[in-house]
Amino acid sequence: MTITARGQLLSDSLTTYLHGLPASARVSLSVKSLSDNNVAFKYRADERVPSASVIKLPIMLEAMERVKAGTLNLDKIYFLKASDKVGGSGVLQNYPDQSRVSYRELLRLMMIESDNTATNIFINLLSRDAINQRIRTIGLKQSQLNRIMMDTLAAREGRENYVTAQEMSTLVEKIYRNQVATPKLCLEMIDVLKQVPGPLTISRLLPKGTVVAHKTGTLTYVRGDVGIVYAKEPFLLSVFVEGVPTPEAERIIGELSLICYTYFSHR
């Protein structure tokens, strides 16, 4: 756990809350002001955790870097194949074969609907190696895409996708500060993240209308949410909860978010 002097009140509030959780709840947390680098809090933030759909953040980034390089046109049409379709989250699995879908719409579905079919189309298009190389290029050392979505055999064999709370916070901050792709593409990514639903996690207890640009992730054994909360003082929040049932994990994320929001709205 690390803190900064100016963030002592935030640290005290979060530490008290975390120490009151049941022993089975394993929380990985990174909080950081977007206007004051001296205010930050980390708790198990560098521990590798199963990513669930949060891994779609670096996939989106690699797609946008391809757009910048001129090797991907988001307006190009993709023809959906029966072999593309997988279960879990998303709507593409219900589309007719040979449906025409632009890459821009596939990107939107991957993030906003957390569409697994759209995600796998991008993984196959971009390649797992290239996505992982992009992760390394921006300085993230522990996060890794190891399998496509809904690959239950790979999951059973232990081939999981991994991230850390700190590294996903760093990725989102780079998008926020226009440090990847182009400023225009970063704005597009932020706009997409603002459309991601998630009333059960970061937004759960926040005042109605609070803008959150984020990506959620859910597996039976982990619940995560990573993004920007536009409080009076905008802040980054990256949190993953393991070891408790999903509804309990969602409550924990919501309560941690509220503690942070209260602090950053009254500084």
Side-chain angles (χ1 to χ4, degrees):
M1 184 189 307
T2 60
I3 61 172
T4 58
R6 292 190 63 197
Q8 190 63 51
L9 180 60
L10 177 64
S11 169
D12 291 346
S13 298
L14 290 170
T15 300
T16 298
Y17 178 85
L18 290 166
H19 286 175
L21 292 175
S24 61
R26 298 189 304 280
V27 176
S28 299
L29 173 65
S30 175
V31 184
K32 182 184 178 183
S33 167
L34 281 166
S35 60
D36 185 348
N37 286 333
N38 291 311
V39 179
F41 178 89
K42 299 178 185 179
Y43 181 83
R44 296 184 70 249
D46 296 318
E47 297 286 331
R48 286 182 106 201
V49 294
S51 69
S53 287
V54 174
I55 198 67
K56 294 167 187 177
L57 281 167
I59 298 172
M60 174 178 70
L61 174 59
E62 174 60 15
M64 289 306 204
E65 291 284 1
R66 298 292 183 93
V67 174
K68 175 187 176 182
T71 56
L72 174 61
N73 179 357
L74 291 179
D75 294 320
K76 184 178 178 181
I77 298 299
Y78 181 84
F79 291 88
L80 186 67
K81 304 186 293 290
S83 58
D84 292 326
K85 299 177 187 178
V86 294
S89 301
V91 297
L92 283 176
Q93 59 186 302
N94 300 316
Y95 280 28
D97 296 348
Q98 295 302 305
S99 289
R100 294 165 51 89
V101 192
S102 71
Y103 283 103
R104 189 180 307 280
E105 179 65 5
L106 288 173
L107 186 71
R108 192 189 74 84
L109 289 172
M110 176 175 72
M111 303 308 293
I112 298 173
E113 301 289 340
S114 210
D115 195 295
N116 289 325
T117 296
T119 305
N120 287 352
I121 289 170
F122 272 113
I123 293 173
N124 291 329
L125 172 72
L126 304 170
S127 91
R128 190 160 50 87
D129 287 346
I131 294 164
N132 285 325
Q133 182 56 47
R134 183 67 57 188
I135 290 171
R136 300 292 171 263
T137 298
I138 64 170
L140 311 185
K141 298 179 179 180
Q142 299 196 78
S143 300
Q144 184 147 332
L145 174 69
N146 291 317
R147 63 171 177 84
I148 59 174
M149 303 300 107
M150 304 306 292
D151 187 342
T152 53
L153 175 60
R156 285 198 303 271
E157 292 176 347
R159 284 179 283 135
E160 187 57 90
N161 299 321
Y162 288 102
V163 295
T164 74
Q166 181 56 51
E167 290 191 345
M168 290 302 99
S169 182
T170 296
L171 189 159
V172 172
E173 182 173 9
K174 286 182 180 294
I175 296 172
Y176 177 83
R177 299 197 187 282
N178 299 329
Q179 294 174 346
V180 290
T182 68
K184 181 177 182 293
L185 292 172
C186 284
L187 284 174
E188 288 187 29
M189 286 189 274
I190 292 292
D191 182 63
V192 167
L193 294 177
K194 286 179 178 178
Q195 298 176 60
V196 173
L200 300 177
T201 47
I202 285 178
S203 299
R204 183 186 188 99
L205 300 174
L206 302 186
K208 188 175 181 181
T210 302
V211 176
V212 179
H214 66 137
K215 184 69 191 84
T216 58
T218 311
L219 291 168
T220 56
Y221 42 90
V222 65
R223 189 72 161 99
D225 202 352
V226 176
I228 302 161
V229 180
Y230 290 85
K232 180 180 178 182
E233 180 180 348
F235 64 94
L236 289 157
L237 176 60
S238 179
V239 56
F240 293 83
V241 180
E242 303 170 273
V244 294
T246 297
E248 176 71 3
E250 291 170 344
R251 181 185 64 79
I252 290 169
I253 294 172
E255 290 173 350
L256 286 167
S257 175
L258 180 59
I259 291 169
C260 296
Y261 178 89
T262 302
Y263 174 82
F264 285 111
S265 294
H266 295 93
R267 267 173 38 85

